Structure formats: C-alpha cells, structure tokens
Amino acid sequence: MSPPPSTPALSVGLIGFGAFGRLIARHLAPHLRVLAHDPFVAADAFGPDAVPADLATAAACPVVILATPVPALRAVARALAPHLRPGALVADVGSVKVVPAAILREELPAHAEILATHPLFGPQSARDGIRGLKLAACPVRGRGGLRAAAFLRRLLGLEVILTTPEAHDREMAVVQGLTHLVAKVLVRMEPLPARMTTRSFERIMEAVGMVRHYAPEVFAAIERQNPFAPQVRRRFLALAAELEAELDADRSVAPRLALVR
Amino acid sequence: MSPPPSTPALSVGLIGFGAFGRLIARHLAPHLRVLAHDPFVAADAFGPDAVPADLATAAACPVVILATPVPALRAVARALAPHLRPGALVADVGSVKVVPAAILREELPAHAEILATHPLFGPQSARDGIRGLKLAACPVRGRGGLRAAAFLRRLLGLEVILTTPEAHDREMAVVQGLTHLVAKVLVRMEPLPARMTTRSFERIMEAVGMVRHYAPEVFAAIERQNPFAPQVRRRFLALAAELEAELDADRSVAPRLALVR
C-alpha cells in the first residue's frame, strides 16, 4: 500500500461509522480524505483514518458512501439528498441490492449518480487485508460508478464483479442466505465436537466462525431484505426433509443394535 | 518418511482393496509387508504397495485390517475368523464404531484382539499426506490395539484419539452426519454460485468438494449405521425450521418491493 499523501486529491463522505464504516475508512484513508458522519460515535472516537463531519459536510463530498444498516437506508438517503452536490456519486455497501438500489433511485435527486455495492467480505475475512477480496458492484445511475469500480480494482486490489441488483440478490440468497442459516443452526447446537473432527467439518466450522459475530442487522438484511432468500431457504429445507425421508424409508440397512448385542 | 526396509519385520493382512484399502497400503508399505485380499480386484491391479493374497493367507498375519464397507463386516469377520492366528490383532476402519465393534466382538474368536478405528480422513483430504491427520481408535479387546496406536502415532505421524465406540458415534453423528447432510443438499441445489462468493461460503463449498465423491456406502454408513445420526439430523432440521418460523414471524421488516418501486 502506498503511504498516505499529505493532501489527498479527493474527499469522500462516509455516512455510518460502525464496524464496516471503520473498515472502509482504514482502506480509503491512504488514498482519499475521509469525512465521516455518525451521530452515534463521539467526535474523539473516529481514530486516525477519518475526520468527523456533520451530515451536510459529509454529504457535500463528490463521493458519498452509505455504511448504514439496510433498514435505515431510506431515512439516511432522504436526509442527505438536499446536501448532495450536482453529479455526486452515492454508493451503499449493504448485503442486499434490489431494495437499496430501489430506495436510492427513489430518494436521491436525478442528478446524483448511484453505485450499489456489496463488498463480499466482513471485518473478519478482511483481517489480513482486502487485496484479492471480492466486491459486487451494480451501476444503478450514471457513469461515475464504473470509474469508482476501476479505482477499487486498481488501488485497493479488489476483484470487482459488475452485476445487477437482481442477479446479485439471486446469488446471495444462496451464498449468504444458506451460509448464515447453517451457521445459526450449528451455533444453536453448541457445544459441538472440537477434537474428533474431519477436515470437511473443520471447513464448515471455519465458515461458522467467520459469520457468527455479524451484527443482527446483517443477518436480518441477508435473510429478510433479500426477496429471493425465503424461497432458497425453503428449497434447502425441503431437500433436507426429502433426504431425511429417503434415509428413513430404507430401514433394511439401519443399525439393529438388538441383533448385534 | 523413512525408506522401505528391504525385508519388513511384520506382515499385515489387508482385507478389501477399495479406495481406502489402497490408501492404507500406500502408507503402510514403507514399514510393513502388506498382504492384500480383495476378490473384486485382479491380481495384477494391486500395484507396488501390496502383495495379492488369498483370504486364509491375509487372515493369518499377526495384524489384520478390514477395509470393507460396514454392511459387509459381519460376513468378512465370519469368513476370516477360522484363519486368525492366536493373539492376532484385528482392526476395522469404518466410519461408525458402535455396530462394527459389536460385530467384531461377536464374530471373532476370544483369543483375537480387536481395535476399532476410524481414520478421520479420506483419499481426498489425505492427498497431501497423512501426517498430522486424525484417527479415532477404540481398543475393544486386548492390549495389542494400544501398541498399534503407538505405531500409527510414531511412524505415520497420525494424531491418534483414544475413545469408545459410543463416544465416537455420538460426535460423528454431528461431525460427519451433518457435514454429509448439508453437502448432499447443496449438491442437489446445483448449479450454485461460483464467482460471486464469500469466503465463508467458499469454506462450505470446500467441505462439499471433500465429501461429494465418497462412495454411497460411506454415506449410508454415516447416516444409517450410526445409532445417533437420526436424532442429530432431526435436531438440525427442527432448529432450521424454528429459525425459518422466526424469520417468517416478524414480517414488519421484510422487503416490500411494492413500497419501494
């Protein structure tokens, strides 16, 4: 990573300074000036990577990133809309894209460009850096999104996957919807075996470890704000029940402990 | 690994030369003379690691390893019983232990020592060697099992976990029962997303890749021959259904596309 220039060329407004907002600030700070707004964070708690700013100031940057929970997105978009400068690029980072893209299209002025994004990683998987990690990007309005995608690819080393909100949500209903479903169920089954384990079970438990500490809002967004998630979960459960029925059906090979005693 | 001695001190009989039998022969050959018996394998197909032998010859070795599917175990044990030499050690390698331990205790003569084992790996996870991999070992009868466990630890570098058939099957009902259940369901949902993926989903798909090509008998043994597997699967399915009901219950935050259109 190159050293932070003393006077970065561009300012970026960052609305929301939770776990993911901090991660964004850490990786953008070497390249851009980050003006962060979060009414729930004390002014002295923004750390070295971001300058605290009021909503109007953060929203007046040429690029504005919304790192807020999906359910708060409409209120946030509505609040910052009047402060956006002409041609500003607004990007969100939510785990679903159909609903946020629709909200931003509705709430932001027509002159604002929109890039709906989903970084396919969290603070856990980004622990050793973000180079090579994936980010889904949906250009919703204007050409600024493509330039931002090129920036993320070139300067941050992200693998940027251009897609549409619908294609994204269809895939994520499987990728995230099922991962989080399986993980939540396994956590509810704890304590789980930790020593007598197979490599394949260990992989699954690594996945559980990566997602178990996500904020409840992220789980809610993945399972409830993705319009395709319910049908994917139901298909998974139906196939599991079908397999269970198959295993039940052929009892001829079931263990007969009475016979082997 | 030390070079193969020209005249190994000890012969081991290997009954069954399927995928796992071959793996055993490959790793024992540098240390022991492997006499392999498998009526379904042509004499010229045993490769450099094993010498083909008839059942009586293989069964007359001081150590006899049964690498046969669990449902075939009783017939195999019955067939080799008359040929066992006094004090021979017989070990199986099945994915479950309660049923095989009971079968071997019943079918083998009282003078034979018994070690029920479960190598917690398959040809897939052993691709890069078996050093450091885990093996569950249940000494069922006699002290020879403990000496064999020490051999596996010292010469092959395995992590040998001493346990009982019941403790083993209880843990494996989770470790293998759930891994294979989830993997089978995901395989039935294919095609699955391959590019727009998260690290956690990739871990789960790695687990799927490790177990998807297991022989159907292994899946059957894991799910049907483990007396604890059905209750663990049912608990998993019940918790998943419970989570689904919770997600369904609070519809207040569900995506209302009509409202955001």
Side-chain angles (χ1 to χ4, degrees), chain A:
Chain A
M1 197 177 288
S2 49
S6 52
T7 320
L10 185 70
S11 288
V12 60
L14 175 61
I15 316 293
F17 208 69
F20 206 82
R22 280 163 218 273
L23 183 65
I24 292 171
R26 181 157 74 251
H27 291 282
L28 290 186
H31 310 285
L32 304 163
R33 187 157 175 258
V34 179
L35 302 185
H37 173 72
D38 191 325
F40 300 106
V41 174
D44 58 356
F46 281 85
D49 300 321
V51 180
D54 59 21
L55 179 66
T57 307
C61 292
V63 174
V64 182
I65 300 172
L66 313 182
T68 55
V70 177
L73 195 64
R74 186 180 295 279
V76 168
R78 205 168 277 181
L80 65 86
H83 307 290
L84 289 173
R85 63 164 75 173
L89 174 68
V90 179
D92 83 312
V93 296
S95 301
V96 291
K97 295 277 61 78
V98 169
V99 169
I103 290 174
L104 295 179
R105 216 184 279 114
E106 278 190 5
E107 299 292 341
L108 300 183
H111 67 74
E113 304 203 330
I114 302 170
L115 179 69
T117 84
H118 177 201
L120 300 179
F121 52 88
Q124 184 72 9
S125 42
R127 234 178 6 193
D128 304 321
I130 59 170
R131 203 154 280 275
L133 296 183
K134 296 173 177 181
L135 178 136
C138 314
V140 172
R141 200 156 69 194
R143 307 280 304 166
L146 292 175
R147 285 194 301 276
F151 166 87
L152 296 170
R153 203 176 265 140
R154 213 177 49 245
L155 278 182
L156 301 187
L158 292 174
E159 181 186 341
V160 178
I161 301 168
L162 290 176
T163 183
T164 66
E166 186 180 321
H168 169 276
D169 281 11
R170 279 189 190 280
E171 303 236 316
M172 284 303 127
V174 175
V175 169
Q176 295 201 289
L178 293 186
T179 300
H180 284 253
L181 176 73
V182 168
K184 271 259 190 282
V185 170
L186 288 176
V187 166
R188 288 186 183 185
M189 291 182 83
E190 287 180 332
L192 295 168
R195 187 169 177 220
M196 221 188 302
T197 52
T198 57
R199 287 278 160 109
S200 46
F201 181 72
E202 287 161 15
R203 290 290 175 287
I204 290 179
M205 292 311 294
E206 281 167 30
V208 172
M210 285 177 190
V211 304
R212 66 181 301 159
H213 297 300
Y214 270 45
E217 303 86 62
V218 177
F219 179 69
I222 285 168
E223 302 291 0
R224 285 174 167 151
Q225 304 284 322
N226 182 328
F228 306 103
Q231 69 204 52
V232 168
R233 288 198 309 269
R234 273 172 215 141
R235 179 139 180 259
F236 179 88
L237 292 178
L239 286 170
E242 188 181 296
L243 197 58
E244 180 62 30
E246 288 169 25
L247 288 169
D248 262 359
D250 185 3
R251 294 192 163 281
S252 62
V253 292
R256 277 162 301 190
L257 289 180
L259 295 184
V260 297
R261 197 182 359 98

Side-chain angles (χ1 to χ4, degrees), chain B residues 45-201:
Chain B
F46 282 85
D49 299 321
V51 180
D54 59 21
L55 179 65
T57 309
C61 292
V63 174
V64 182
I65 301 172
L66 313 181
T68 53
V70 177
L73 196 62
R74 186 180 295 279
V76 168
R78 206 168 276 180
L80 65 85
H83 307 289
L84 290 172
R85 65 163 75 172
L89 174 67
V90 179
D92 82 313
V93 296
S95 300
V96 292
K97 294 277 63 79
V98 168
V99 169
I103 290 174
L104 295 180
R105 215 185 280 114
E106 278 189 7
E107 300 292 341
L108 301 183
H111 68 74
E113 305 204 330
I114 301 169
L115 180 68
T117 83
H118 177 202
L120 301 179
F121 52 87
Q124 184 71 10
S125 43
R127 234 177 8 191
D128 304 323
I130 60 171
R131 203 153 277 276
L133 296 182
K134 297 174 177 180
L135 177 136
C138 314
V140 170
R141 201 155 71 193
R143 306 280 305 165
L146 293 175
R147 286 194 300 275
F151 166 86
L152 296 171
R153 203 177 264 138
R154 211 177 50 245
L155 277 183
L156 301 187
L158 292 173
E159 181 186 343
V160 177
I161 301 169
L162 291 175
T163 182
T164 67
E166 185 180 322
H168 169 276
D169 281 10
R170 279 190 191 281
E171 302 237 317
M172 283 305 125
V174 175
V175 168
Q176 295 200 291
L178 293 186
T179 299
H180 284 253
L181 175 74
V182 168
K184 270 260 189 281
V185 171
L186 288 175
V187 166
R188 289 187 183 185
M189 292 182 82
E190 287 180 332
L192 295 167
R195 186 168 179 219
M196 221 188 303
T197 52
T198 57
R199 288 277 160 112
S200 46
F201 182 72

